[in-house]
Amino acid sequence: MAIIGIFGGSFDPIHFGHLRIAEEFADAFGLSCLHLIPTSQPPHRQQASTSDADRLAMVALAVADNPRLRVDDRELRRGRTCYTIDTLTEMRAELAADSRLVWLIGADSFLNLDRWHRWESLFDLAGLAVACRPGFDLDRWQEQASPALTRQVLPRIQSLSVTKPGEAGTITLLPTTPLAISSTAIRARLAAGQSARYLAPAAVLDYAERRSLYRTPP
Ligand code: ATP
């Protein structure tokens, strides 16, 4: 039985914070494959952000040597604002009925989940895994979550040691290695003419340099 993972993000650019939680997620669930899905930018952000083609190319470079990670351009191909609910529905329909779909987000995204489009229906389609992110204490998530989010999440939390981890409707808090890296900080460093070495794969940073990305402050 296949267990397929999904990890979406703006990846502007992709960095070691993303890649490390992706790898630990794949190990924890024994994933056959993890789809990294660059998200389409909402129209009001498109002007300010890196092109879809460049973000996609950087993700492809970052995962080129990792057979478990796969770049998936489905949201960019749709070419309009795309919701996670649509992506999960589409992927669920592509998979065999006995395959499991597990979706990864960082702790900051998790605490904002109740602002996502049709967020309560997301749980019907996939299991959710939440990775640690410095600045967001997963052990004390309830102190930062809204009452609506807490109501949905509490009964769904399960540990990794259950027989079928990542079943649709469940939520697993993953103790991933905390890495305080963000795309925002990388963009700021590059715009200030500083090095971003060791924050993202060399191939990604070389690409950004060749294409003169992130040279100017936002
Ligand atoms: P930006 O700084 O531009 O907001 P970001 O670094 O937060 O970007 P995104 O592409 O927006 O990266 O994030 C995609 C997903 O990865 C989100 O679910 C986010 O929570 C998670 N994520 C990003 N960086 C980390 C990190 N260092 N540790 C854990 N999770 C992370």
Side-chain angles (χ1 to χ4, degrees):
M1 190 217 44
I3 308 180
I4 307 297
I6 302 184
F7 181 28
S10 46
F11 301 133
D12 187 18
I14 189 162
H15 53 68
F16 284 135
H18 297 126
L19 290 162
R20 190 60 217 164
I21 63 169
E23 188 70 359
E24 293 186 17
F25 171 53
D27 271 349
F29 285 87
L31 297 182
S32 333
C33 174
L34 171 53
H35 293 245
L36 275 84
I37 307 187
T39 50
S40 54
Q41 300 284 24
H44 63 275
R45 279 193 62 181
Q46 260 169 23
Q47 218 105 57
S49 82
T50 317
S51 74
D52 290 353
D54 282 331
R55 290 185 298 116
L56 182 69
M58 289 187 282
V59 176
L61 286 168
V63 303
D65 62 352
N66 188 330
R68 265 195 308 194
L69 306 190
R70 178 183 303 173
V71 58
D72 182 333
D73 67 350
R74 68 181 66 226
E75 293 202 4
L76 302 182
R77 272 189 280 118
R78 273 195 226 147
R80 58 179 160 79
T81 308
C82 211
Y83 296 108
T84 300
I85 189 89
D86 302 322
T87 301
L88 291 181
T89 306
E90 187 180 295
M91 288 197 72
R92 188 64 267 171
E94 285 169 14
L95 293 175
D98 66 345
S99 326
R100 227 174 289 156
L101 194 59
V102 196
W103 160 53
L104 174 70
I105 56 178
D108 55 319
S109 305
F110 171 63
L111 292 169
N112 284 318
L113 200 58
D114 53 346
R115 296 190 207 152
W116 292 31
H117 183 59
R118 294 183 50 206
W119 69 279
E120 284 158 305
S121 305
L122 293 167
F123 303 112
D124 299 334
L125 296 162
L128 174 66
V130 186
C132 298
R133 186 163 193 181
F136 303 87
D137 188 349
L138 264 193
D139 291 333
R140 300 165 67 173
W141 67 269
Q142 284 184 67
E143 291 171 20
Q144 296 168 71
S146 70
L149 186 62
T150 304
R151 253 195 324 276
Q152 273 292 333
V153 168
L154 258 187
R156 300 179 182 278
I157 290 191
Q158 67 167 28
S159 85
L160 261 177
S161 55
V162 295
T163 338
K164 289 183 171 180
E167 270 197 302
T170 65
I171 300 176
T172 310
L173 305 180
L174 274 185
T176 52
T177 306
L179 292 173
I181 303 175
S182 71
S183 301
T184 303
I186 292 177
R187 293 194 299 271
R189 282 188 158 274
L190 295 178
Q194 294 171 338
S195 159
R197 208 169 175 188
Y198 312 128
L199 295 175
V204 169
L205 297 175
D206 288 348
Y207 180 93
E209 189 175 346
R210 273 201 313 281
R211 300 271 301 151
S212 306
L213 306 180
Y214 315 119
R215 289 268 171 95
T216 47

